[in-house]
Amino acid sequence: MEISIMLLGIVLLGAWLVMRSKRWKTLMTATGPNAEELEAKYAHLKSNKVKCKLVMDASPVADTGIIPAADVNPGEAGTLIKLKVHQKDLEQAKELLEDFLEAV
């Protein structure tokens, strides 16, 4: 009886973690020297109170700079940095980044 309750708790915790992680959408990715530009964009979003985070992914990627999230090519060694935005702030983040690019 106790084991089944513990297993149910573990399953529920796992389901909660999966659902929670799906709320974050990858907006941009960067590798190598373009990571500084991505960090500047992250700081701009944070200063405008957009819920976002930078995530380091140690999987190998091509050192091509900033690339669309859908075009990630795990080929050569490198660290991938992802700019993730909470799904409720996604449209606001896109607008702010367009303004950021025009200002630069």
Side-chain angles (χ1 to χ4, degrees):
M1 179 73 169
E2 290 178 16
I3 293 175
S4 61
I5 292 173
M6 286 180 16
L7 287 175
L8 178 62
I10 291 171
V11 168
L12 290 175
L13 178 63
W16 179 76
L17 289 172
V18 167
M19 294 303 293
R20 186 171 176 231
S21 70
K22 292 195 182 270
R23 293 181 186 160
W24 292 94
K25 304 298 179 192
T26 301
L27 189 58
M28 299 182 87
T29 60
T31 60
N34 292 328
E36 289 182 20
E37 183 181 341
L38 191 66
E39 289 172 1
K41 291 176 181 179
Y42 166 76
H44 178 68
L45 292 177
K46 281 300 230 187
S47 69
N48 285 287
K49 302 198 183 345
V50 172
K51 192 172 182 181
C52 58
K53 61 184 177 180
L54 288 177
V55 178
M56 303 280 286
D57 186 3
S59 65
V61 295
D63 192 20
T64 58
I66 295 179
I67 53 179
D71 294 341
V72 174
N73 180 17
E76 300 173 20
T79 300
L80 180 68
I81 300 174
K82 298 177 183 178
L83 174 60
K84 292 192 170 204
V85 177
H86 197 274
Q87 66 184 11
K88 69 179 178 71
D89 293 331
L90 190 59
E91 291 305 316
Q92 179 187 6
K94 288 179 181 178
E95 291 173 12
L96 286 168
L97 287 179
E98 285 177 13
D99 295 341
F100 179 78
L101 292 174
E102 290 173 4
V104 172

